Amino acid sequence: MKQFIKKVFVISLPVFFLMISVNYFGDAANIFNREYEKRMAEIIISKSNAKYKSNYSERLLQKELILKESMNYDVIFIGSSRGMLLTSDMFPNSTFFNRGVSGASIEDLIAIYQLCKSNNKLPKKIIIGIDPWVFNDNNDKTRWKTAFRNEVNLFANLPSTPYLNIVVEKIRELFSFSYFQNSFKPFIKMLVGKREYPQPTQTIDNSSTLKLADGSIWYGTDTYRLSTKKIDEKVQSWLAGGAIYGLENFNTISNKNWEFFKLLINEMANNDIEISFYMEPYHPLIYEKVKKTHKMVIKTEEKIRNYAKENKIKIIGSFNPSKLGLSGNSFYDGMHCNEVAVKQIVESTNAQHGI
Amino acid sequence: MLFNSIDFAIFLPIVFILYWFVTNKNLKLQNFLIVAASYLFYGWWDWRFLSLILFSTIIDYTVGQKLRNEENQLRRIVLLWTSVLVNLGFLGFFKYYNFFLDNLVTAFSFFGQEIKGNSLNIILPVGISFYTFQTLSYTIDVYKRRLEPTKDFIAFSAFVSFFPQLVAGPIERATHLLPQFYKKRTFDYSKAVDGMRQILWGLFKKIVIADNCAEYANQIFNNSADMNGSTLVLGALFFTFQIYGDFSGYSDIAIGTSRLFGFDLMRNFNFPYFSRDIAEFWRRWHISLSTWFRDYLYIPLGGSLGGTWMKVRNTFIIFIVSGFWHGANWTFIVWGALNAIYFLPLLLTNNNRNNLETVAKGKLLPNLKEISLMLLTFGLTVFAWIFFRAENIGHAISYITEILSPSLFSIPTFSGMYNALITIILIGAFVLTEWFGREGQYGIENISLKWKPIFRYTFYYIIVFAIIYFGNFNENQFIYFQF
C-alpha cells in the first residue's frame, strides 16, 4: 500500500513540476510577470509604435499606461476591439488616445474610467464604444477580473478584493490545464532563448501587428484588404460556428448592466466630460443573421439611441451597415470594419454635426 | 461529480485513504464508507434525487427479504412485479412521461381529435437507467433463485450506489458484484497499478478524444443545414469517436477506480470499432447492457430458438427496447431498429457467431478481407449514429440527404479546421494504440509491460502530456449521464 502511494506520488511529481514551470515561466497571459506590458507601455509613452507578436494583457497595459504616462489627453476612446481602429488623425484638433480593450464589458468601461479618475487623467471628451454584449447578462465576459477588480469595486463603492484572493487565483492558474496549453509554446521559446518582447518602431508596414503610439491597433493592409470573396468565406465559416460573439442567450437587456451604464454616464457628465457613443456596424452577412436570430441587438441600438437623444449625446455609427452605406468589403472580418470604413463613419458624423 | 473534474481529483484520494487506512479493519464500516462516499458523489450533482436511490434500495432489499421465505408462486410473482413496477415506474415517469404524452396528443390530433396534455418540466435524474437496471437484476435473480437474498442492508446499499459505476455503468449483475461486498478486501498492489493505468487511458479517451471530437460534432450537427455533404460526413465521424471515447472512457475510469478499492467490474467495451460484422459489434459495445437485455429480455422471450418469425420478432424487440432505453425520442428507436435490420440477415443465415475471436489475433496487421469487413461494419455503425445524434427524425433525414448530394465531393468547411486536423491526428494515434492493444482488457493494458521501465514510463508520460496539452478541460458531461 505504502509502496503504491509512494509510487503514485513520485510519478506525479514531474507532472506537477512541469505544469508549474510551464505556467509560471511560459505565462501566456503574463499573470506572473508583467514585463511584456511594462515594455510595451514604455514604448508607447515614448511616442513610438510597438511591434509585437504574442498575446499580452490589454487591460494590464492600460493600467501601466494610465499609471505612468504624464500627459492628459483631450479625447479618449473606451470600448472593445471594434473601436480600436479609431486613430488620432480622426480628431485633428485634439490630443487623442485609444484605450480600447478586446471584448470590453461594462466592467472594463467602468474600470478604465475609474483608473483615469483616480490618477487625475480624466479627458475632456470620452467616446464610448457600444457593443451589444455589454448589455447581455450571459456574455461570459470575465477578462476584466484579471486586472480591474479593485477599480470596479471602487466605482461601485464595494470593498476592494483582498490580497489573499488574488494570490489564491494566481496559485490556481499555476495548476490550470488550460493555462498550460496556452503557456507551453511561450515556455519552449523561453527555453531556447527566443522569447519575444515588443519592439519600438516608427514605421508602419503592411504585414506587422502594431500597437500604435495613439493606442490604436494596426493589423496591416494585408489583413484589411482581403478580397470580398475571402472576407465572405471567413464570415460564412464564422457563422457556421454557431452563435455570434458575445450574443449567446441574449434574451433581454440586462437591468444590472443598464443601471451600471447609466451610472457611468452620469458620473462622466458630473465631471463635465463630453460623451459620444460609437457603434461599429456588423458585416452585412452577420447583420442579416442578427435581424433573424439576435433581435436584441436591434433593440439595444434603439434603446441607446433613445437614451442618447434624451441626454443629448452624439452617436457615431450604427450596428446596421446599410444605414452607413457599407458593404462587405468595408470589413476585415464579421464584426470589425477596416480603417477606411472607420474613417468614413467618423468623418460623416463630424460632417453631420458641422465639425 | 464528474470523473474529469477537480472535485473528483480531490474526492478520490480522500476516499481511498479513509478506505484503506481508517476503515480497513471493519468490513461493515468499509461498506458504509462506500455508501456515504457514493451518496456524496451522486448528491454533488443534485442531492434531491438521492431519495430515489434510497427508495429503490429499500424496496428491492425488502422484496428480496420477502422472497427468501416465500414459496407461494403467486405471491412471489406479486413481489417481483412490485419491484419491477416501482423501478420502471420511476424510470418511466422521469424519462418517458413527456414523450408518451406528446405522442398521444399527436396521435389524437392525427385522427382529428384534440386532447390537452400538460407536459411536465421534469429533470432527468442522472444515471437512473443504470442503477434501475442494476437493482432489477438483483430482484429478478433472487426471484429466479439464482441468488441468495442479502441480509446485509449496508452491503446491498453499497451494491446499488457504488460510486464508480453508479451513473453510467457498467451495469453490474448482483450475482457478480454483490458477493464482493461480503468479503474482506485486501489491497492488491498490481491490481491498483493496473487500475491507475486504466484510469489514465480512460481520461485520455474522454478528455482528448471525446471532448475534442464533441466540439466539431456539435458544431456540425447543430448547423447541419448550412454544411456541405463532406463536412456532414466528418461530423458523423467525429460523433462516432466522441461517443466511443466518452462512454468507453467512462467505463475504463469506473473499472480502474473500482480496482483501486479491490473490486472487479465487468468489461463494458471490447474494441467494438474493430468488429467484422454487426453481431460482433454488439458483443463488443456496451456489453453490460447488451447482456442484460439478452439475459432478462431476449432469452425469456425465447431468444433465437423458435422459428423465423420468433427470431425476427425477438431481434426487433431487443434492439428497439435497447434504443428506447437510451432516450425518449424516435431517433433512438430508429437507431435500434436500424441495428436490428443490420443484425437480422446474420441471425437468419446462422452467421451471427462467425467472428468470436479478436480480429487478426496474434498478428500485427489484418488481411484484406478483414479490413474490408471492418470498414463495412464501421460504415454501417457511423450511418446509424447519425440517427442517434440527430435532434429528430427530420434532422437525421435532411442530414443524410445532404450527404448523398453532390456536395459530398466538395471540400469540408467549418470553423476551427486547423484544430480539427490536430484532433484527426490524435484519433489516428488513438486508433493505432487501440489496435496494438486489442488483445488486452483495455487499450494500453499490455502495451509497454515488457518494455524497460524508462521506455514504459516515457510512454505513460506521453499520454499524461497528451491529456494536459491536447485535452479539452471544459468539464464536459459524459454523454451517457443523460441516459
Side-chain angles (χ1 to χ4, degrees):
Chain A
M1 165 75 78
K2 280 179 187 160
Q3 191 198 349
F4 173 75
I5 292 174
K6 205 168 134 188
K7 193 168 184 177
V8 170
F9 183 72
V10 169
I11 290 174
S12 308
L13 268 185
V15 177
F16 284 115
F17 180 74
L18 178 75
M19 181 171 251
I20 291 169
S21 307
V22 168
N23 288 356
Y24 187 82
F25 294 108
D27 199 15
N30 303 312
I31 293 171
F32 304 104
N33 185 345
R34 291 188 181 182
E35 188 57 28
Y36 202 95
E37 286 80 7
K38 279 182 184 163
R39 289 196 191 195
M40 194 176 244
E42 280 162 16
I43 294 169
I44 291 168
I45 289 169
S46 71
K47 296 291 166 204
S48 287
N49 306 316
K51 188 175 179 176
Y52 68 97
K53 280 186 179 166
S54 73
N55 284 332
Y56 66 96
S57 165
E58 293 167 337
R59 286 154 181 84
L60 285 177
L61 174 67
Q62 289 306 327
K63 215 168 184 172
E64 286 288 328
L65 286 168
I66 295 170
L67 290 174
K68 288 182 180 162
E69 65 198 2
S70 54
M71 73 175 287
N72 269 16
Y73 292 94
D74 297 332
V75 185
I76 64 165
F77 167 78
I78 59 173
S80 71
S81 63
R82 279 160 46 84
M84 277 192 194
L85 298 195
L86 289 168
T87 54
S88 54
D89 58 357
M90 294 172 193
F91 308 92
N93 302 319
S94 321
T95 53
F96 169 85
F97 198 83
N98 193 316
R99 298 208 184 280
V101 291
S102 296
S105 60
I106 185 72
E107 290 86 355
D108 289 305
L109 304 179
I110 286 170
I112 294 176
Y113 169 80
Q114 184 61 43
L115 261 172
C116 292
K117 189 183 170 192
S118 306
N119 291 280
N120 295 319
K121 303 273 171 60
L122 283 179
K124 291 175 189 156
K125 179 175 177 178
I126 296 182
I127 300 167
I128 303 176
I130 304 289
D131 293 299
W133 64 74
V134 167
F135 303 101
N136 178 10
D137 267 333
N138 302 312
N139 64 21
D140 218 15
K141 301 258 171 280
T142 54
R143 277 192 270 181
W144 63 274
K145 288 183 183 172
T146 57
F148 291 152
R149 275 174 193 270
N150 285 339
E151 286 71 23
V152 172
N153 291 350
L154 196 61
F155 182 83
N157 290 324
L158 297 170
S160 61
T161 310
Y163 183 68
L164 185 66
N165 288 11
I166 296 167
V167 172
V168 168
E169 276 184 22
K170 282 194 174 186
I171 291 172
R172 281 179 62 174
E173 287 302 330
L174 275 184
F175 293 95
S176 158
F177 294 123
S178 37
Y179 201 55
F180 178 93
Q181 293 173 343
N182 289 312
S183 300
F184 189 72
K185 276 182 192 159
F187 177 74
I188 297 293
K189 279 188 176 174
M190 185 211 73
L191 283 184
V192 296
K194 285 193 174 170
R195 179 137 207 184
E196 289 156 340
Y197 285 104
Q199 298 298 321
T201 175
Q202 293 300 332
T203 54
I204 298 178
D205 60 61
N206 287 340
S207 51
S208 302
T209 306
L210 304 174
K211 184 82 177 166
L212 300 180
D214 64 2
S216 64
I217 201 108
W218 172 259
Y219 289 122
T221 45
D222 293 353
T223 302
Y224 299 149
R225 298 285 175 278
L226 288 176
S227 68
T228 310
K229 192 183 165 217
K230 283 228 158 135
I231 297 167
D232 282 357
E233 276 173 11
K234 208 169 161 183
V235 175
Q236 292 286 12
S237 133
W238 200 59
L239 275 173
I244 298 171
Y245 179 82
L247 304 182
E248 296 87 352
N249 303 316
F250 189 14
N251 306 317
T252 176
I253 292 177
S254 161
N255 275 335
K256 187 190 86 188
N257 292 6
W258 182 254
E259 287 307 315
F260 262 134
F261 180 73
K262 285 201 298 187
L263 203 64
L264 178 66
I265 303 296
N266 287 340
E267 166 73 21
M268 288 175 179
N270 291 341
N271 281 289
D272 295 327
I273 297 170
E274 187 191 336
I275 302 160
S276 294
F277 293 154
Y278 175 73
M279 285 196 269
E280 181 146 317
Y282 282 97
H283 186 283
L285 291 174
I286 300 283
Y287 197 74
E288 276 309 303
K289 183 161 182 179
V290 159
K291 282 199 283 189
K292 284 181 200 153
T293 58
H294 293 81
K295 295 204 168 105
M296 289 313 297
V297 172
I298 295 161
K299 287 195 175 162
T300 303
E301 177 159 353
E302 280 169 14
K303 190 161 177 140
I304 287 287
R305 284 189 180 280
N306 290 336
Y307 180 78
K309 202 173 173 185
E310 281 167 22
N311 294 279
K312 297 188 177 67
I313 295 171
K314 190 170 86 178
I315 289 188
I316 307 166
S318 163
F319 296 146
N320 183 352
S322 62
K323 263 192 182 176
L324 307 168
L326 299 178
S327 59
N329 56 11
S330 300
F331 294 80
Y332 67 88
D333 66 17
M335 43 192 272
H336 296 95
C337 289
N338 61 29
E339 88 289 13
V340 177
V342 172
K343 198 167 184 185
Q344 186 188 320
I345 294 167
V346 174
E347 281 175 356
S348 69
T349 312
N350 285 346
Q352 277 171 26
H353 290 81
I355 300 168
Chain B
M1 204 180 288
L2 297 170
F3 282 162
N4 54 330
S5 69
I6 297 292
D7 303 332
F8 186 72
I10 296 166
F11 167 87
L12 184 63
I14 293 173
V15 177
F16 180 84
I17 287 168
L18 289 175
Y19 184 85
W20 289 115
F21 289 101
V22 180
T23 61
N24 57 324
K25 286 185 181 141
N26 185 326
L27 184 64
K28 269 213 177 312
L29 201 59
Q30 218 175 27
N31 284 343
F32 183 76
L33 175 72
I34 290 177
V35 176
S38 301
Y39 274 56
L40 177 69
F41 178 87
Y42 192 85
W44 208 257
W45 166 69
D46 193 330
W47 59 269
R48 289 171 302 171
F49 292 114
L50 285 173
S51 55
L52 283 182
I53 298 180
L54 184 63
F55 191 71
S56 281
T57 308
I58 293 169
I59 287 287
D60 287 298
Y61 176 78
T62 312
V63 166
Q65 292 306 305
K66 298 270 182 207
L67 282 171
R68 178 193 299 280
N69 300 319
E70 187 56 69
E71 293 301 328
N72 181 303
Q73 189 53 25
L74 183 65
R75 284 194 199 135
R76 288 181 70 81
I77 291 174
V78 169
L79 283 167
L80 172 70
W81 277 98
T82 305
S83 164
V84 170
L85 288 177
V86 167
N87 283 303
L88 292 186
F90 280 145
L91 187 61
F93 175 74
F94 283 102
K95 195 164 176 175
Y96 301 109
Y97 174 83
N98 284 339
F99 174 79
F100 282 119
L101 189 75
D102 293 345
N103 280 284
L104 200 67
V105 172
T106 311
F108 269 88
S109 67
F110 182 76
F111 292 108
Q113 299 281 321
E114 289 299 319
I115 59 160
K116 276 191 177 174
N118 293 325
S119 295
L120 298 178
N121 190 15
I122 303 170
I123 304 170
L124 180 67
V126 164
I128 188 169
S129 308
F130 290 90
Y131 67 77
T132 299
F133 273 43
Q134 185 153 312
T135 51
L136 274 178
S137 87
Y138 169 78
T139 317
I140 298 169
D141 285 345
V142 169
Y143 169 79
K144 295 207 163 187
R145 300 185 198 278
R146 288 194 288 235
L147 179 74
E148 186 66 19
T150 181
K151 288 178 184 167
D152 185 342
F153 182 71
I154 298 294
F156 183 70
S157 301
F159 157 73
V160 176
S161 64
F162 189 41
F163 73 88
Q165 44 87 244
L166 171 62
V167 288
I171 302 167
E172 277 295 331
R173 303 304 163 73
T175 44
H176 178 239
L177 183 58
L178 189 55
Q180 296 184 51
F181 286 98
Y182 304 152
K183 285 184 283 183
K184 184 170 165 54
R185 273 86 59 179
T186 46
F187 184 80
D188 182 335
Y189 175 82
S190 57
K191 204 172 177 176
V193 168
D194 192 50
M196 289 298 285
R197 239 190 328 255
Q198 193 158 3
I199 291 172
L200 178 68
W201 191 235
L203 285 172
F204 177 84
K205 282 179 177 177
K206 166 65 182 164
I207 296 173
V208 179
I209 301 299
D211 289 349
N212 280 320
C213 285
E215 297 274 326
Y216 308 108
N218 291 343
Q219 188 198 134
I220 294 169
F221 271 89
N222 294 345
N223 301 284
S224 58
D226 302 326
M227 305 281 185
N228 61 31
S230 58
T231 311
L232 296 182
V233 170
L234 266 183
L237 285 168
F238 279 127
F239 181 70
T240 300
F241 285 100
Q242 179 198 350
I243 194 160
Y244 174 60
D246 193 284
F247 193 21
S248 71
Y250 186 94
S251 296
D252 281 337
I253 301 169
I255 295 166
T257 306
S258 304
R259 289 172 81 76
L260 293 181
F261 293 90
F263 288 89
D264 286 314
L265 297 185
M266 73 179 292
R267 188 177 196 178
N268 216 14
F269 288 86
N270 186 5
F271 309 100
Y273 290 157
F274 298 140
S275 301
R276 285 150 293 179
D277 59 48
I278 285 293
E280 187 185 8
F281 176 83
W282 280 106
R283 280 192 296 275
R284 292 169 177 274
W285 180 274
H286 202 175
I287 299 165
S288 65
L289 181 72
S290 312
T291 50
W292 199 100
F293 278 124
R294 183 197 66 199
D295 295 345
Y296 298 114
L297 186 64
Y298 187 65
I299 292 174
L301 283 171
S304 57
L305 295 176
T308 307
W309 158 241
M310 194 188 240
K311 282 179 185 170
V312 173
R313 184 200 69 179
N314 291 350
T315 301
F316 269 98
I317 287 176
I318 193 171
F319 275 105
I320 287 173
V321 171
S322 169
F324 199 46
W325 176 91
H326 285 85
N329 193 329
W330 285 100
T331 51
F332 295 116
I333 295 172
V334 171
W335 171 76
L338 196 55
N339 275 287
I341 293 166
Y342 291 164
F343 180 78
L344 263 179
L346 295 170
L347 180 70
L348 297 178
T349 55
N350 276 332
N351 284 314
N352 58 318
R353 297 186 69 78
N354 283 355
N355 297 307
L356 298 176
E357 287 283 348
T358 304
V359 60
K361 196 173 180 182
K363 293 180 196 161
L364 184 65
L365 294 170
N367 60 35
L368 211 57
K369 187 186 169 195
E370 285 166 336
I371 292 173
S372 316
L373 290 173
M374 280 193 289
L375 282 176
L376 177 67
T377 310
F378 183 74
L380 290 171
T381 311
V382 174
F383 182 74
W385 285 134
I386 294 173
F387 285 92
F388 192 95
R389 174 60 181 78
E391 295 299 318
N392 49 53
I393 299 292
H395 182 209
I397 289 171
S398 64
Y399 195 102
I400 293 162
T401 309
E402 189 60 37
I403 287 180
L404 299 175
S405 75
S407 72
L408 177 64
F409 302 101
S410 49
I411 296 166
T413 343
F414 56 98
S415 170
M417 284 183 56
Y418 169 73
N419 287 336
L421 200 64
I422 295 174
T423 302
I424 291 168
I425 293 168
L426 287 166
I427 292 172
F430 165 65
V431 172
L432 271 182
T433 311
E434 290 247 303
W435 174 261
F436 291 122
R438 71 193 182 283
E439 290 181 40
Q441 290 288 312
Y442 55 93
I444 58 166
E445 187 194 23
N446 297 330
I447 295 179
S448 81
L449 278 185
K450 289 177 187 166
W451 297 356
K452 284 183 180 171
I454 177 113
F455 296 120
R456 193 165 70 239
Y457 284 106
T458 305
F459 177 65
Y460 297 148
Y461 278 125
I462 288 172
I463 296 174
V464 171
F465 179 79
I467 292 173
I468 300 175
Y469 190 63
F470 296 110
N472 184 323
F473 291 98
N474 296 328
E475 293 195 3
N476 297 308
Q477 269 220 353
F478 288 83
I479 296 179
Y480 267 68
F481 278 18
Q482 62 189 293
F483 306 141

